[in-house]
Amino acid sequence: MQVLKSRDDSTRMSANKEFLDRLENALGAEDALLYPFDSLPNIGRLSPPDKSFRIFCWNVPVEDGTYFYYCLIQCYDKKKKKMKVLRLVDNTVEEKTPTENKVLRKDKWFGELYYEMIPVKNKKKIVYTLLGWRGCNRMITQKVIDVLSFSGNWEPQFGAPVFKIEPGGKRRIVFNYSAQSAMSLKYHDSQKQVIFDHLSPSSPNLKEQYQYYGPDFTYDAFILEKGKWNYKSNVDARNASDSPVYNPE
């Protein structure tokens, strides 16, 4: 993709703007849901089993070691009988660390690359748990468990009080760790669990200095029960035998 091949930030961002506009127009075409768009390099694509919508997300690295994130959601508006394309706006320039209890709209999106979608029935509504990766800078990487839901007119919102973890509940889970490390965060359908590396600092006196955090060879999990994700520490990951999914790391 020309965006990634460009040598300087201004050329890279200009190429990305052109690509973003073209993709948005293509996704809004009348028969666009029938087209797979599987030839796009470096673009993440997710959809639920019923194919009711699709997510396209990618990032653009810049020279200071940070990234800009982009996402389009494609769906079909049955009331207006036309394709609808929603452009999410990355808010992480203004807000570096998201509040784990905040609900975010499409114009205040916490930019990341989604790599797995888990449909969950919450009361009478289907919401979508998303696993994502976010490169922050040269020192810190994040992984995120978020929740996507839609209003009746396909307006998206991110974050929901479905995580049962002390103290109190949370609307999303954000993991911070060293950019030199790799963290496993995977959903195992057979056990209805999201299993992940427990992160610890390399030394006790480095607590909350996340550039020194990494896996400590123990595992924790969120277990799906009645539409909620219940936290459990120190689980046995050896029984998690589901096939691995795409992981940006």
Side-chain angles (χ1 to χ4, degrees), residues 11 26 30 76 79 89 124 164 185 197 210 213 217 241:
T11 305
E30 184 176 351
Y76 183 74
K79 291 183 179 179
V89 179
K124 295 182 179 180
K164 300 179 71 174
L185 174 68
D197 283 308
Y210 296 110
Y213 273 57
F217 305 105
S241 58

Side-chain angles (χ1 to χ4, degrees), residues 98-113:
T99 302
E100 290 185 305
N101 282 319
K102 185 174 289 187
V103 173
L104 302 175
R105 309 291 180 178
K106 66 181 180 182
D107 59 342
K108 298 288 185 179
W109 174 57
F110 181 58
E112 58 193 277
L113 301 180

Side-chain angles (χ1 to χ4, degrees), residues 121-170:
K121 187 172 183 180
N122 188 277
K123 297 180 180 179
K124 295 182 179 180
K125 187 177 181 180
I126 300 294
V127 299
Y128 305 90
T129 299
L130 299 171
L131 306 187
W133 175 94
R134 172 176 162 75
C136 294
N137 50 51
R138 292 189 178 98
M139 300 178 69
I140 294 176
T141 296
Q142 294 177 327
K143 281 198 171 176
V144 183
I145 311 176
D146 211 338
V147 179
L148 168 64
S149 59
F150 294 96
S151 65
N153 59 349
W154 283 107
E155 283 301 308
Q157 73 173 31
F158 296 87
V162 298
F163 300 99
K164 300 179 71 174
I165 181 173
E166 297 296 334
K170 295 183 179 181

Side-chain angles (χ1 to χ4, degrees), residues 29-45:
E30 184 176 351
D31 58 350
L33 273 177
L34 302 176
Y35 191 76
F37 292 95
D38 55 2
S39 62
L40 296 173
N42 306 111
I43 301 294
R45 297 176 298 277

Side-chain angles (χ1 to χ4, degrees), residues 47-63:
S47 61
D50 65 3
K51 309 296 183 183
S52 56
F53 66 95
R54 290 192 289 187
I55 296 176
F56 297 78
C57 56
W58 68 97
N59 64 4
V60 178
V62 291
E63 292 173 357

